[in-house]
Tab-separated table of all heavy atoms in Angstrom:
chain	number	residue	atom	x	y	z
A	512	SER	N	2.472	-8.251	4.021
A	512	SER	CA	1.288	-7.735	4.674
A	512	SER	C	0.288	-8.825	5.037
A	512	SER	O	-0.617	-8.601	5.882
A	512	SER	CB	0.576	-6.825	3.710
A	512	SER	OG	0.244	-7.466	2.493
A	532	ARG	N	9.719	-6.046	7.762
A	532	ARG	CA	8.557	-6.003	6.892
A	532	ARG	C	8.987	-5.823	5.490
A	532	ARG	O	9.657	-4.787	5.192
A	532	ARG	CB	7.646	-4.831	7.381
A	532	ARG	CG	6.597	-4.483	6.365
A	532	ARG	CD	5.407	-5.488	6.287
A	532	ARG	NE	4.367	-4.823	5.642
A	532	ARG	CZ	4.129	-5.048	4.310
A	532	ARG	NH1	4.835	-5.826	3.618
A	532	ARG	NH2	3.153	-4.364	3.714
A	533	ALA	N	8.896	-6.863	4.605
A	533	ALA	CA	9.227	-6.730	3.220
A	533	ALA	C	8.135	-5.923	2.498
A	533	ALA	O	7.216	-6.493	1.917
A	533	ALA	CB	9.414	-8.118	2.565
A	534	GLY	N	8.221	-4.603	2.661
A	534	GLY	CA	7.218	-3.708	2.098
A	534	GLY	C	7.185	-2.407	2.993
A	534	GLY	O	8.121	-2.260	3.824
A	535	VAL	N	6.167	-1.610	2.800
A	535	VAL	CA	6.198	-0.300	3.495
A	535	VAL	C	5.321	-0.351	4.753
A	535	VAL	O	5.803	-0.105	5.814
A	535	VAL	CB	5.679	0.802	2.557
A	535	VAL	CG1	5.756	2.175	3.204
A	535	VAL	CG2	6.389	0.790	1.226
A	536	GLY	N	4.032	-0.682	4.548
A	536	GLY	CA	3.024	-0.496	5.633
A	536	GLY	C	3.362	-1.420	6.728
A	536	GLY	O	3.600	-2.651	6.552
A	559	ASN	N	9.262	-0.702	-3.155
A	559	ASN	CA	8.152	-0.932	-4.072
A	559	ASN	C	7.503	0.436	-4.569
A	559	ASN	O	6.405	0.417	-5.129
A	559	ASN	CB	7.074	-1.856	-3.556
A	559	ASN	CG	6.616	-1.441	-2.195
A	559	ASN	OD1	6.536	-0.201	-1.900
A	559	ASN	ND2	6.156	-2.413	-1.331
A	693	ARG	N	-4.276	2.291	1.491
A	693	ARG	CA	-4.899	1.372	2.437
A	693	ARG	C	-6.401	1.604	2.427
A	693	ARG	O	-6.911	2.755	2.330
A	693	ARG	CB	-4.377	1.667	3.873
A	693	ARG	CG	-3.026	1.117	4.187
A	693	ARG	CD	-2.926	-0.374	4.111
A	693	ARG	NE	-1.616	-0.956	4.379
A	693	ARG	CZ	-0.687	-1.329	3.484
A	693	ARG	NH1	-0.932	-1.089	2.148
A	693	ARG	NH2	0.424	-1.821	3.808
A	741	HIS	N	-4.935	-5.965	-4.263
A	741	HIS	CA	-3.731	-5.493	-3.586
A	741	HIS	C	-2.506	-5.967	-4.406
A	741	HIS	O	-1.635	-6.657	-3.870
A	741	HIS	CB	-3.683	-5.987	-2.151
A	741	HIS	CG	-2.776	-5.132	-1.273
A	741	HIS	ND1	-2.954	-5.033	0.053
A	741	HIS	CD2	-1.754	-4.439	-1.525
A	741	HIS	CE1	-2.045	-4.219	0.614
A	741	HIS	NE2	-1.238	-3.837	-0.375
A	744	ALA	N	2.151	-3.455	-5.359
A	744	ALA	CA	3.595	-3.733	-5.142
A	744	ALA	C	3.986	-5.075	-5.671
A	744	ALA	O	5.149	-5.518	-5.548
A	744	ALA	CB	3.886	-3.650	-3.654
B	1847	MLT	C1	3.189	-2.193	1.252
B	1847	MLT	O1	2.804	-1.764	2.273
B	1847	MLT	O2	4.425	-2.326	1.048
B	1847	MLT	C2	2.287	-2.514	0.181
B	1847	MLT	O3	0.995	-2.316	0.465
B	1847	MLT	C3	2.496	-3.905	-0.333
B	1847	MLT	C4	2.331	-4.957	0.653
B	1847	MLT	O4	1.515	-4.839	1.492
B	1847	MLT	O5	3.089	-5.884	0.666
Side-chain angles (χ1 to χ4, degrees):
S512 57
R532 163 76 166 96
V535 184
N559 54 31
R693 284 296 180 263
H741 203 151

